[in-house]
Amino acid sequence: VQLQASGGGSVQPGGSLRLSCAASGRTFSRHTMAWFRQAPGKAREFVGTLRRSGTGGSYYADSVKGRFTISRDNAKNTVYLQMNSLKFEDTAVYYCSLAERHLAGFMTRPDDYDYWGEGTQVTVSS
């Protein structure tokens, strides 16, 4: 499985970015996808998750709820993270991930995910 994240960059507070994560090597629609982020000196932090197609449902960290949205395009094997109203504290390297397992609830721990992209830097600064 390969995950390739892209779309990071520098943006002013209040701005928007859309990250993309292209997946290969799996039937994409059958897997839960998630985004995490890691700021310098901090642990990897859950951002949001989107369950596999057909089961529906997304779940977000409180820090991004209402500002970030995860979506997927199964035809393109791609998951997106739309980030609006960006804040200084959103600055981090963002990672997409794919889970092999299926749980009844939402998976929010890094250990729940089996494959990771290389990460893309998002910097919010004035």
Side-chain angles (χ1 to χ4, degrees):
V1 176
Q2 289 189 330
L3 302 175
Q4 182 64 51
S6 61
S10 295
V11 64
Q12 292 184 339
S16 298
L17 280 175
R18 189 178 79 157
L19 306 184
S20 300
C21 177
S24 62
R26 283 291 184 274
T27 305
F28 178 72
S29 62
R30 296 179 183 175
H31 294 277
T32 291
M33 304 293 294
W35 288 91
F36 288 77
R37 65 188 182 186
Q38 189 165 17
K42 295 188 176 181
R44 192 162 294 191
E45 174 190 27
F46 170 76
V47 173
T49 183
L50 181 62
R51 297 179 68 179
R52 57 178 174 156
S53 297
T55 61
S58 58
Y59 181 77
Y60 300 91
D62 287 344
S63 58
V64 307
K65 199 173 296 182
R67 300 187 297 121
F68 290 11
T69 302
I70 298 177
S71 61
R72 66 196 303 159
D73 184 336
N74 290 330
K76 296 182 178 180
N77 278 7
T78 300
V79 64
Y80 302 98
L81 179 66
Q82 178 66 45
M83 305 185 294
N84 298 328
S85 301
L86 283 160
K87 304 176 180 180
F88 292 119
E89 53 263 41
D90 294 319
T91 295
V93 177
Y94 283 71
Y95 297 90
C96 60
S97 57
L98 180 149
E100 291 280 19
R101 72 205 72 183
H102 306 295
L103 300 179
F106 290 107
M107 296 182 282
T108 63
R109 303 176 306 138
D111 287 349
D112 291 328
Y113 293 85
D114 302 284
Y115 299 98
W116 295 82
E118 290 188 353
T120 185
Q121 176 71 47
V122 172
T123 302
V124 184
S125 67
S126 55

